């Protein structure tokens, strides 16, 4: 039973650094976000998710910042999951109509018996720069729908969440996942 459903680190990254991360992400290498129903076969389904993504190293600036806070949240929220590492960071761009329906971020364990345990999302955009694009966590009834720029939200990857459709503007996030031995 979870004691806490999420941890918020409000505005930990200054706006100038958020803007720098957005501008220096290699958007020329972006691709349409893919989905998987079985953790094996990947496919694009824009009715379920419409997002441009670029992956960056977990050792990139945003990766190092996010992983230090994800590890701290694991302890402070009393999840105490066995964490072995952090996946590469997925920088997402949600343009007009961009969205991601209800989903969870964990999968069945991989061939090494590892699975995602914690999700960290850095909100890189100023919420005044877009309409719609609200983040919702089913277990987070008191969670703000739009986070201040530079805020990091951490939650167990088994919790359902979504991003509503962007109506105008551009919404940017950086997501990464902590993984470890499969849940028992």
């Amino acid at each position: 039973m979870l004691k806490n459903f999420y941890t918020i680190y409000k505005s930990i990254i200054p706006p100038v650094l958020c803007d720098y991360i957005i501008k220096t992400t290699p958007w020329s290498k972006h691709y349409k976000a893919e989905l998987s129903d079985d953790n094996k076969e990947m496919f694009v389904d824009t009715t379920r998710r419409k997002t441009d993504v670029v992956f960056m190293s977990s050792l990139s600036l945003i990766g190092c910042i996010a992983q230090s806070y994800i590890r701290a949240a694991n302890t402070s929220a009393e999840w105490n999951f066995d964490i072995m590492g952090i996946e590469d960071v997925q920088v997402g761009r949600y343009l007009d109509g961009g969205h991601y329906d209800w989903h969870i971020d964990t999968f069945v364990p991989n061939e090494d018996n590892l699975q995602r345990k914690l999700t960290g999302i850095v909100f890189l955009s100023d919420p005044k720069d877009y309409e719609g694009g609200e983040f919702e966590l089913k277990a987070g009834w008191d969670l703000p729908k739009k986070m201040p720029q530079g805020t990091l939200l951490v939650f167990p990857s088994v919790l359902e969440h979504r991003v509503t459709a962007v109506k105008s503007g551009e919404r940017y996030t950086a997501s990464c996942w902590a993984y470890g031995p499969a849940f028992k």
Side-chain angles (χ1 to χ4, degrees):
M1 180 75 149
L2 290 175
K3 190 175 190 178
N4 298 293
F5 293 108
Y6 59 85
T7 297
I8 298 175
Y9 297 100
K10 191 175 177 184
S11 302
I12 58 163
I13 301 174
V16 67
L17 185 52
C18 290
D19 293 342
Y20 174 80
I21 292 165
I22 292 167
K23 287 178 184 156
T24 59
T25 296
W27 292 109
S28 62
K29 297 179 182 180
H30 84 276
Y31 59 93
K32 300 296 178 197
E34 296 177 314
L35 302 167
S36 175
D37 289 330
D38 60 7
N39 200 26
K40 294 176 184 158
E41 187 176 332
M42 302 299 289
F43 59 92
V44 174
D45 179 353
T46 57
T47 64
R48 290 169 51 188
R49 183 178 189 191
K50 184 179 175 188
T51 316
D52 295 331
V53 296
V54 174
F55 279 91
M56 298 174 66
S57 168
S58 62
L59 298 177
S60 64
L61 176 60
I62 190 63
C64 289
I65 293 169
Q67 69 180 291
S68 63
Y69 280 94
I70 289 170
R71 289 179 186 277
N74 188 36
T75 302
S76 66
E78 299 180 28
W79 298 315
N80 299 313
F81 295 146
D82 186 0
I83 301 296
M84 293 176 58
I86 306 290
E87 292 182 22
D88 284 346
V89 178
Q90 181 186 85
V91 181
R93 176 174 60 188
Y94 295 77
L95 303 174
D96 190 34
H99 69 281
Y100 196 172
D101 268 343
W102 290 110
H103 67 283
I104 60 174
D105 288 338
T106 195
F107 302 106
V108 296
N110 67 15
E111 61 279 352
D112 296 322
N113 202 39
L114 301 174
Q115 70 185 137
R116 289 178 177 174
K117 294 190 169 185
L118 291 172
T119 297
I121 302 173
V122 179
F123 296 85
L124 296 171
S125 299
D126 184 326
K128 293 181 280 189
D129 292 343
Y130 61 92
E131 293 295 323
E134 296 173 342
F135 179 86
E136 297 177 344
L137 182 68
K138 276 196 178 174
W141 55 91
D142 59 342
L143 193 66
K145 298 219 186 248
K146 286 195 175 183
M147 300 285 180
Q149 186 175 25
T151 295
L152 172 65
L153 172 68
V154 183
F155 58 93
S157 300
V158 298
L159 298 179
E160 273 191 286
H161 56 285
R162 74 174 177 175
V163 177
T164 64
V166 170
K167 297 175 184 170
S168 66
E170 297 179 5
R171 176 187 187 272
Y172 293 90
T173 58
S175 302
C176 60
W177 302 275
Y179 63 88
F183 289 115
K184 296 178 181 181

